[in-house]
Amino acid sequence: MSFAFTPDDKLPEVIHVQARRFGDARGWFMETYREKAFREGGVEVSFVQDNHARSQDRGTVRGLHFQTGAHAQAKLIRCVRGRILDVVVDIRPSSPRFGQYTGVELAANDGRQLYVPAGFAHGYCTLEDETEVAYKTSAYYAPQAEGGIAHDDPAIGIDWQIPRDERVLSEKDQRLPSLAEYRAMLAQMEADAP
C-alpha cells in the first residue's frame, strides 16, 4: 500500500497520512494522493482546489483559518520545502473537544501529510526560511465565508515553537478574534436566526 492513515491522538478526526517513497540512485518517487486509497483510509471527501504558499522567513504564521457554511473546507496539507508546525483547532460548537488543538511537524523530507476535516481551524508556522506548503481543499475559496481565530489566544494555548516577537503575520491575521469572541458570534447568529 502506498499510504498509511493514522488518527491523531488528540483530535481523532484529523488524520496523519504517511506516503510511501520508492527510491533508487536517481532519488525517490511517491504518490501524494490517490482517491481510492484515501477513501479506504477514511478520507471520504472530494478535493476541488490545490493551493501552494511560499513563506520567506522562519516564524511566518498563517492562520488560524477556516471557511463556514456550505463553503467549509476539508484540507490535505503537505510541506514541499522546509519544515512547518501544522496546527488544527476544533471549532465545532457542539464538540466536546471545542477549543482543543493538535500540532504536527511536517517536513519536505518526510513525506507526511495531514488531513483536516471541515469544522476545524487550520494554521501553520514555518520553522525554516523559504518554506513552501501545498494543500488541497474540498471547497473553493469563498471570501464571504472565510473566518479565523487568533493564533495566540491563551485560551487555546498553542506552543508555536517560535517566540511571539519573532513571528511574522499578515495584518489581517493580527486582527482575528479570540475563540471566546468567535463562540459569542456563533451564539448571536443562532439567536438571530428565524
Side-chain angles (χ1 to χ4, degrees):
M1 183 173 209
S2 293
F3 301 97
F5 301 90
T6 309
D8 186 77
D9 291 338
K10 295 178 182 175
L11 300 175
E13 299 86 353
V14 174
I15 299 174
H16 300 249
V17 181
Q18 180 66 59
R20 184 173 173 201
R21 288 185 172 176
F22 301 90
D24 60 25
R26 299 169 298 169
W28 54 261
F29 169 85
M30 74 175 185
E31 289 182 348
T32 59
Y33 179 73
R34 178 185 287 242
E35 184 177 37
K36 183 179 181 207
F38 272 68
R39 288 190 183 281
E40 290 170 355
V43 178
E44 298 186 21
V45 302
S46 296
F47 293 107
V48 299
Q49 182 173 321
D50 283 1
N51 300 315
H52 190 131
R54 180 180 185 278
S55 297
Q56 178 63 36
D57 298 317
R58 174 185 174 272
T60 298
V61 175
R62 295 179 185 260
L64 300 159
H65 301 147
F66 56 88
Q67 288 193 175
T68 59
H71 302 286
Q73 296 177 321
K75 296 178 180 177
L76 179 64
I77 300 105
R78 65 189 173 105
C79 184
V80 295
R81 183 178 183 184
R83 289 183 308 126
I84 62 170
L85 174 66
D86 205 44
V87 175
V88 182
V89 180
D90 189 340
I91 58 168
R92 299 170 299 166
S94 60
S95 171
R97 292 183 296 277
F98 180 86
Q100 293 181 22
Y101 83 95
T102 190
V104 179
E105 189 172 310
L106 301 177
N109 65 1
D110 66 16
R112 292 177 58 197
Q113 300 180 76
L114 196 67
Y115 168 71
V116 180
F120 292 77
H122 171 258
Y124 61 87
C125 178
T126 59
L127 302 177
E128 295 180 8
D129 290 343
E130 298 182 11
T131 291
E132 296 183 34
V133 174
Y135 60 99
K136 296 181 169 302
T137 64
S138 64
Y140 296 110
Y141 171 66
Q144 73 278 14
E146 69 180 345
I149 303 291
H151 84 287
D152 58 353
D153 184 341
I156 302 171
I158 298 168
D159 176 5
W160 288 99
Q161 300 183 17
I162 303 288
R164 178 65 180 98
D165 62 347
E166 295 177 23
R167 296 180 207 153
V168 180
L169 287 96
S170 70
E171 286 186 31
K172 184 174 167 184
D173 283 355
Q174 291 178 45
R175 296 189 306 268
L176 292 174
S178 68
L179 187 65
E181 291 168 327
Y182 170 68
R183 190 169 220 167
M185 288 187 304
L186 289 176
Q188 187 61 51
M189 287 169 44
E190 189 174 302
D192 292 344

